[in-house]
Amino acid sequence: MRQFLHQQSHENNTRKKRRKLLIPFTTLSLCIYPSLASTCVKTGAVSSVRRPYSETAPLVISTQLQQVADSFESVLQASQDNHHIPVDSLLDACRTLLNVMQHTGPKALARDFDNNIRKIESAAYTDPTRTHTVASLLQHERDRGVHRQGSESSLYLREQSGAMGLLWIRRTLAFQSDFYERLLEDDNADPIDAIHHAYQQQLKPYHGWTLEKCYNLLVKNNMPPRRLLLARVGGYDDQYSDASFYEKKTCDELKRLVALWRPLIQKWKRSFVELGMEDTRRA
């Protein structure tokens, strides 16, 4: 009996350690979201996992990361069909992303992302017939005089506007795209180098002193090694004997997501630039 109790205690401790390894990864703060970190197994990051009868048997995995990629693929396909990004599909994709974020890191980050979504929804519902695409929503706000005149021909966006929500969500996706693209270029890539490169390119030009300090602090304290980072993003234990399979699956899904985001972000930004609404002030 003592031996049995000892064995049960050892198994419980092992499970606790594994749960600790799956604590979701948080990258940055405020306007920098941990948008691709999927939920740990305990909270449903791996929606369906069939463990193999042998180490060589195939695994069937359905992750929230796949769901995010599927939702943005629908947005891109719709934008290619009618040459405009549909707001309703984009909001659905962002909500899918939000479902992941709500289980990753501080709740304040998910609330901030949610606030940007709500800005878009509020603007879109004012007149659905005139705000059904990103370009038409921006044009509608411009025509209504929602924003004030800035330098030269550009506008300064109102903080609570749909345009402001679209602007920061787009910048966040661009940041995540750069980060994961650089991280996946090389198996020995340093996550800190990758995230600093992405930040310099996509977010630093629009961040004031406070946001930049938040970035430096959070990266310094929260960035794990590449192998562990991918495990947390994919929602698996990097100590699994078949962890290499999960890592490849996670990398494939991230590459797919980056490939979907690139053309979507370009079209998204073009709408802002053409309407003189690419507000480049620092936050």
Side-chain angles (χ1 to χ4, degrees):
M1 176 64 71
R2 182 179 301 174
Q3 182 178 1
F4 172 79
L5 293 175
H6 177 74
Q7 180 179 356
Q8 290 297 308
S9 176
H10 175 72
E11 291 177 354
N12 289 335
N13 289 336
T14 300
R15 282 194 290 270
K16 288 179 181 179
K17 289 180 180 178
R18 286 185 174 179
R19 283 198 294 269
K20 288 180 181 179
L21 285 171
L22 291 169
I23 294 173
F25 164 65
T26 302
T27 309
L28 305 177
S29 182
L30 299 175
C31 297
I32 312 174
Y33 311 108
S35 61
L36 293 178
S38 76
T39 316
C40 63
V41 171
K42 181 181 177 182
T43 53
V46 180
S47 305
S48 174
V49 178
R50 186 178 68 225
R51 298 298 299 166
Y53 291 104
S54 70
E55 291 299 324
T56 58
L59 300 178
V60 178
I61 304 175
S62 176
T63 67
Q64 288 196 18
L65 188 58
Q66 287 177 305
Q67 295 171 16
V68 172
D70 289 343
S71 63
F72 278 100
E73 185 174 35
S74 297
V75 178
L76 180 61
Q77 183 61 54
S79 72
Q80 291 173 338
D81 291 342
N82 59 25
H83 306 294
H84 292 287
I85 301 173
V87 170
D88 55 352
S89 297
L90 181 61
L91 287 171
D92 287 344
C94 290
R95 284 291 179 191
T96 303
L97 199 56
L98 179 63
N99 288 338
V100 175
M101 291 177 61
Q102 286 172 336
H103 297 93
T104 59
K107 297 298 182 182
L109 299 178
R111 285 197 299 269
D112 200 29
F113 193 84
D114 187 30
N115 285 338
N116 279 323
I117 293 176
R118 291 177 185 275
K119 291 175 186 178
I120 302 169
E121 289 176 334
S122 179
Y125 295 157
T126 58
D127 189 347
T129 61
R130 298 185 59 191
T131 58
H132 59 286
T133 69
V134 167
S136 63
L137 187 153
L138 296 178
Q139 184 68 61
H140 183 59
E141 287 193 342
R142 184 182 179 91
D143 293 344
R144 291 175 58 220
V146 171
H147 313 288
R148 64 187 177 90
Q149 188 63 44
S151 59
E152 299 178 354
S153 60
S154 64
L155 297 177
Y156 287 160
L157 305 184
R158 186 170 67 86
E159 178 59 34
Q160 297 302 316
S161 65
M164 187 64 83
L166 285 166
L167 180 68
W168 280 107
I169 288 179
R170 191 200 78 207
R171 286 173 176 171
T172 299
L173 299 186
F175 163 77
Q176 294 287 356
S177 294
D178 275 14
F179 170 53
Y180 285 110
E181 183 175 53
R182 197 170 183 88
L183 185 70
L184 298 173
E185 285 178 352
D186 185 351
D187 291 345
N188 297 316
D190 183 354
I192 292 181
D193 289 344
I195 205 167
H196 278 316
H197 173 80
Y199 181 75
Q200 293 288 329
Q201 295 296 316
Q202 301 296 342
L203 292 176
K204 184 178 179 180
Y206 316 111
H207 279 182
W209 183 88
T210 301
L211 283 180
E212 187 173 346
K213 292 300 180 183
C214 287
Y215 159 79
N216 289 325
L217 179 63
L218 287 170
V219 167
K220 179 180 179 180
N221 294 334
N222 291 283
M223 183 62 69
R226 183 181 186 275
R227 179 181 175 87
L228 183 55
L229 170 61
L230 291 172
R232 290 175 177 176
V233 168
Y236 61 89
D237 189 336
D238 70 324
Q239 299 302 312
Y240 283 161
S241 61
D242 50 4
S244 59
F245 173 86
Y246 288 94
E247 182 174 314
K248 184 179 184 304
K249 178 69 174 177
T250 300
C251 290
D252 288 345
E253 287 301 326
L254 288 174
K255 289 176 181 178
R256 176 188 171 211
L257 192 53
V258 168
L260 292 168
W261 275 346
R262 286 301 183 195
L264 189 62
I265 290 169
Q266 290 175 2
K267 184 173 293 188
W268 197 332
K269 183 174 182 178
R270 187 160 57 246
S271 295
F272 274 82
V273 173
E274 289 175 352
L275 290 170
M277 299 176 71
E278 184 68 9
D279 192 341
T280 59
R281 291 174 299 163
R282 292 179 181 270

